[in-house]
Amino acid sequence: MCACAAVSLVLAFCGTVFGAVSEGQFSVSPMIGGYTYYGSGQHLETAPMYSLKGGYSFTDNIGVEAGLDYSITNSTLVTDKKVAIFKYGVEGLYHFMPDGNFVPFLAVGLGGYNLSGPSALVSRKEMGFMDYGGGVKYFINDSLALRADVRHILANAGAFEYTLGVTIPFGGAKGVAKPVSAPAAPKPGTGKPQEKVAQEVPVKKPAEEQPVQKTAPPSAIPAIPEETPAPPQSAAKAAEVPAVKAMPAPAVVTPTEVVDSISNMQLVSIPSACYTMGDPSDKTLAAHEVCLGAFSISKFEITREQFQRFVESSNYVTDAEKHGGCYTITAGKEVLNPAATWKNPDFYQSRKDPVVCVSWNDAQAYTAWLSSSSEKKYRLPTEAEWEFAARSGGKQEKYAGTNNDADLYRFANFCDMKCIYEWKDPSQNDGYWSTAPVGKYIPNGFGLYDMSGNVAEWMQDYFADDYYANSPKMNPKGPSAGTGHSVRGGSWRSQKNALSTTNRSSAETSNAFDNIGFRVCREP
């Protein structure tokens, strides 16, 4: 009765939640239950038992558990009133419906018994066994599941085993545990409402930001050389002769993979080239010719492991830790979550997942530290560099690596069937409902991973809606001032359209979000 009441209270207070078994997940399961022995040869009475199991999931469905059980029972023999039993073994598990709260499973295993009692009949008696059975896990959230098991044990001391307990999962591809409704936020730069579109980049928070002087990059950040801007094209002339028709096809560019010998950063080195930046079908993304100098860009988004190395080396404290948390989605709205930081963004991340809940200021601090420690000039990418690299050298790619909507799940982590938001795409399954470890998907033509999806990425540029129409040709680096910085690439909680290589938006400089991270560029 007490156990039932406790379970009822937990379920009542947790509300609607989400959890699952997932690939790469470890688990610990403490349980209590009993053994009921049968047969005429073992002389043992039904008794309580205590169990501890440790597990690992090779896939969402298939896993393994090792366990140790302990029980003290009575023997029907006069000489053996107390018998201690140790049972140890390994089982293979097959989980049905691993993506849901309610996960039934089958189990088959083998192991051994050790019986210890006062008489020679059972003292230090050992025997092997085989068992089979099943059970069910009910996930209260992504960090705790209720569990019930039953097994048939085949041995000299054959028995039925039944247990109740909890499973505590950690690792694997777990995500946030709260279903929410879609936010109705305008897409920055267009003025059009986003219906059921994930907030892969946040709405600007106007009141919280300081004047632009406070958000200027640190002096340690290498600056891009000043360029003389090309004269802006008049609107009439632009409408008369579409700019894209005058733009040459991008030259064939061959990137080279390199590794920074000091920082061990994996980079793709890209030679100087020109291409048509923007989207001729979208007036806010006016197509225009851009020429870039040579640069290198990190092959992967910066991971938690890499960011942790920086924090530990420099004793750096992020904006989210100093100023009240990180923005997450709750009940359909992007709100400041005071408990969320890069260390704990309100969902599980492995050390190889891209770091999130970092502001533009935090990304700048990382690049300054990286520049100092590696003796190379690192910074964030400009929008022009990022788009050229994402489009595999300026090609007309809708997403980084593909133009095909139907197989986007092979190239990107976005709000697919595993996503917990109502705008999810139930026709595709990229395997993750929050961030994925970097490098899990097919790279684009330049060998760059996650340019579309996983996390949106901070750019070096200040943001302006009309910048594409007024951009200089040579090495454009964005407006000279602003209150926020550009963000590109879409994220794990985005709809597909936000993952396009030309989609752009902005976020306030000192704010941090659970779906924005960054990658870095290195100058020659």
Side-chain angles (χ1 to χ4, degrees):
M1 288 296 292
C2 291
C4 292
V7 169
S8 300
L9 284 172
V10 169
L11 292 177
F13 281 104
C14 285
T16 305
V17 291
F18 191 86
V21 176
S22 61
E23 177 183 349
Q25 187 181 81
F26 292 90
S27 64
V28 175
S29 301
M31 295 184 287
I32 59 173
Y35 288 135
T36 295
Y37 299 93
Y38 67 90
S40 59
Q42 28 79 8
H43 309 292
L44 300 174
E45 297 180 354
T46 295
M49 55 84 71
Y50 309 91
S51 176
L52 181 66
K53 296 179 184 290
Y56 178 77
S57 294
F58 297 106
T59 69
D60 286 2
N61 298 99
I62 299 172
V64 65
E65 277 190 332
L68 176 66
D69 299 350
Y70 174 70
S71 176
I72 296 181
T73 185
N74 291 321
S75 170
T76 56
L77 301 175
V78 175
T79 56
D80 291 310
K81 285 301 179 185
K82 297 292 182 183
V83 178
I85 299 175
F86 291 92
K87 174 176 165 282
Y88 47 90
V90 177
E91 294 181 324
L93 273 62
Y94 185 85
H95 295 93
F96 300 93
M97 302 182 295
D99 296 333
N101 297 63
F102 187 81
V103 184
F105 62 90
L106 295 177
V108 177
L110 48 84
Y113 273 117
N114 185 298
L115 283 71
S116 179
S119 80
L121 289 175
V122 295
S123 180
R124 291 181 298 280
K125 183 176 182 181
E126 296 185 8
M127 65 184 79
F129 74 86
M130 177 177 178
D131 69 3
Y132 65 91
V136 64
K137 300 173 185 177
Y138 182 83
F139 283 84
I140 293 175
N141 54 47
D142 62 352
S143 300
L144 184 67
L146 303 179
R147 174 170 176 167
D149 291 51
V150 63
R151 302 286 190 275
H152 183 198
I153 301 168
L154 304 175
N156 289 342
F160 289 100
E161 173 188 310
Y162 35 90
T163 54
L164 291 173
V166 297
T167 289
I168 304 167
F170 53 96
K174 304 200 306 305
V176 195
K178 303 178 186 117
V180 300
S181 56
K187 179 181 177 182
T190 65
K192 300 174 184 177
Q194 281 183 301
E195 286 188 277
K196 294 188 179 180
V197 176
Q199 291 260 141
E200 77 288 351
V201 288
V203 181
K204 298 177 184 178
K205 309 288 186 299
E208 307 165 30
E209 287 305 334
Q210 299 300 319
V212 64
Q213 288 87 342
K214 189 169 182 178
T215 63
S219 58
I221 307 303
I224 308 173
E226 292 289 342
E227 297 291 342
T228 304
Q233 187 180 23
S234 70
K237 188 174 179 182
E240 215 174 270
V241 184
V244 69
K245 291 185 179 179
M247 296 298 107
V252 176
V253 175
T254 304
T256 306
E257 291 193 17
V258 295
V259 177
D260 188 316
S261 58
I262 299 177
S263 67
N264 207 33
M265 181 73 66
Q266 293 178 270
L267 302 156
V268 173
S269 182
I270 300 171
S272 58
C274 299
Y275 78 108
T276 300
M277 185 178 181
D279 183 352
S281 66
D282 189 334
K283 291 180 180 179
T284 64
L285 299 172
H288 57 289
E289 186 178 20
V290 162
C291 292
L292 302 171
F295 67 98
S296 298
I297 188 168
S298 57
K299 189 174 180 179
F300 306 103
E301 293 163 331
I302 299 303
T303 64
R304 284 170 54 92
E305 179 180 41
Q306 291 170 313
F307 195 78
Q308 181 176 353
R309 195 177 303 132
F310 151 62
V311 168
E312 292 175 348
S313 172
S314 62
N315 295 317
Y316 183 78
V317 180
T318 63
D319 279 340
E321 293 170 290
K322 291 185 293 188
H323 303 313
C326 171
Y327 283 89
T328 62
I329 290 183
T330 300
K333 296 180 180 179
E334 204 160 49
V335 297
L336 189 62
N337 182 345
T341 68
W342 74 271
K343 297 175 184 176
N344 180 20
D346 202 26
F347 53 85
Y348 171 79
Q349 286 192 300
S350 74
R351 62 190 180 91
K352 293 296 184 184
D353 280 48
V355 66
V356 295
C357 288
V358 288
S359 69
W360 185 87
N361 293 330
D362 300 332
Q364 288 292 329
Y366 178 88
T367 60
W369 170 82
L370 188 60
S371 297
S372 175
S373 60
S374 68
E375 300 178 355
K376 303 287 186 180
K377 292 184 178 180
Y378 281 94
R379 56 173 170 79
L380 295 177
T382 65
E383 284 200 76
E385 290 168 337
W386 187 93
E387 187 173 317
F388 181 71
R391 288 165 51 187
S392 305
K395 297 177 183 177
Q396 294 302 313
E397 289 183 348
K398 184 175 181 180
Y399 309 108
T402 184
N403 284 305
N404 189 349
D405 283 42
D407 71 348
L408 182 58
Y409 70 96
R410 299 171 60 230
F411 293 83
N413 177 17
F414 66 106
C415 195
D416 66 335
M417 67 187 302
K418 286 198 169 187
C419 185
I420 63 172
Y421 302 108
E422 67 176 33
W423 55 82
K424 66 183 179 181
D425 182 347
S427 68
Q428 300 195 49
N429 182 2
D430 61 43
Y432 293 83
W433 57 87
S434 61
T435 55
V438 299
K440 278 286 184 179
Y441 303 94
I442 299 173
N444 73 352
F446 270 12
L448 297 168
Y449 291 84
D450 301 314
M451 294 294 280
S452 289
N454 212 7
V455 295
E457 300 174 13
W458 286 112
M459 299 291 104
Q460 182 78 1
D461 313 29
Y462 285 112
F463 179 84
D465 290 335
D466 60 352
Y467 184 70
Y468 273 35
N470 302 301
S471 170
K473 177 178 178 180
M474 300 300 298
N475 288 320
K477 57 179 181 178
S480 59
T483 57
H485 284 80
S486 298
V487 179
R488 303 291 295 261
S491 77
W492 58 271
R493 56 175 165 97
S494 302
Q495 275 191 321
K496 289 183 291 189
N497 63 332
L499 272 63
S500 74
T501 54
T502 55
N503 187 69
R504 60 193 295 261
S505 191
S506 70
E508 301 295 347
T509 300
S510 62
N511 289 341
F513 301 82
D514 70 350
N515 64 332
I516 299 182
F518 65 101
R519 72 179 69 225
V520 298
C521 275
R522 189 182 76 180
E523 295 186 355

